[in-house]
Amino acid sequence: MLKLILALTMAAQVAPTPAPPPARIPPPAAVRVALDTSDGRIVIELDKARAPITTANFLKYVDQKRLDGIGFYRTAKGGPHFGFVQFGVQNAPKRVLPPIKHEPTTLTGLKHLDGTISIARYAPGTANGDFTIMVGDQPSLDADPAAPGDNQGYAAFGHVVEGMEVIQKIFDAPTSPTAGEGLMKGQMIVPPILITAARRIPAS
């Protein structure tokens, strides 16, 4: 009987096998796109986790080669390093895709900082195939629920990781004093800076 009690006591003192740690789910791989232009290469990292709709839309334009041969056509300058450059299909019938749902910065948590890529629009829900890249921080383009009127801002969805010197060169490109309408008059790059190819960069 004593041997049985000792055996049971020793068994109770053996530490249980620890449970294996929960499996780590890796974060989604970053999606990068290279824009090869007549002024050099720009590499953009897209935030598909926080801005999935806008990212998926941009990738459709890339994968269907709808951005090949279009240009950076606008530079909006508020100072030597303050404004944005714009590129896209300009509603060309053979290039433009249907508009997408708006993803405001209050939803995504993204901000219009130096190098951020955003999608151009008129009313929320009208954005399709024209895009802007920030030169300097542009907080006025973020959504602001306290502001009057259309306060939804623009949908940021990634940022430049290589080639900001190319963006600055495009930003400084000469413009026509007469081309463009309304706010865009005097902001049109002549001639546009050509995008020769837009392609995904394979994940390493």
Side-chain angles (χ1 to χ4, degrees), residues 46 51-64 66-67 96-101 103 119 127-131 157:
L46 309 178
I53 296 171
T54 317
T55 295
N57 174 71
F58 185 74
L59 289 174
K60 285 181 182 178
Y61 281 92
V62 171
D63 294 339
Q64 296 175 22
R66 292 173 183 261
L67 299 179
V96 70
L97 293 171
I100 59 171
K101 182 180 178 181
E103 290 180 306
I119 189 166
N128 45 40
D130 288 83
F131 309 94
F157 64 100

Side-chain angles (χ1 to χ4, degrees), residues 84-173:
F84 60 81
V85 295
Q86 187 166 342
F87 68 98
V89 301
Q90 296 181 276
N91 286 316
K94 292 185 178 180
R95 293 182 184 265
V96 70
L97 293 171
I100 59 171
K101 182 180 178 181
H102 183 52
E103 290 180 306
T105 54
T106 46
L107 175 67
T108 64
L110 301 172
K111 301 294 183 184
H112 286 83
L113 305 175
D114 188 35
T116 294
I117 184 170
S118 186
I119 189 166
R121 68 169 178 86
Y122 293 106
T126 63
N128 45 40
D130 288 83
F131 309 94
T132 56
I133 296 177
M134 305 302 112
V135 177
D137 296 351
Q138 307 289 327
S140 64
L141 301 184
D142 295 336
D144 181 1
D150 178 0
N151 56 20
Q152 295 299 298
Y154 295 84
F157 64 100
H159 62 281
V160 174
V161 292
E162 295 177 27
M164 274 306 291
E165 72 282 359
V166 178
I167 294 296
Q168 184 67 47
K169 188 175 180 180
I170 295 170
F171 183 73
D172 293 334

Side-chain angles (χ1 to χ4, degrees), residues 31-33 42-46 115 158-164 201:
V31 180
R32 291 190 173 188
V33 168
I42 303 157
V43 177
I44 301 167
E45 187 169 286
L46 309 178
H159 62 281
V160 174
V161 292
E162 295 177 27
M164 274 306 291
I201 298 176

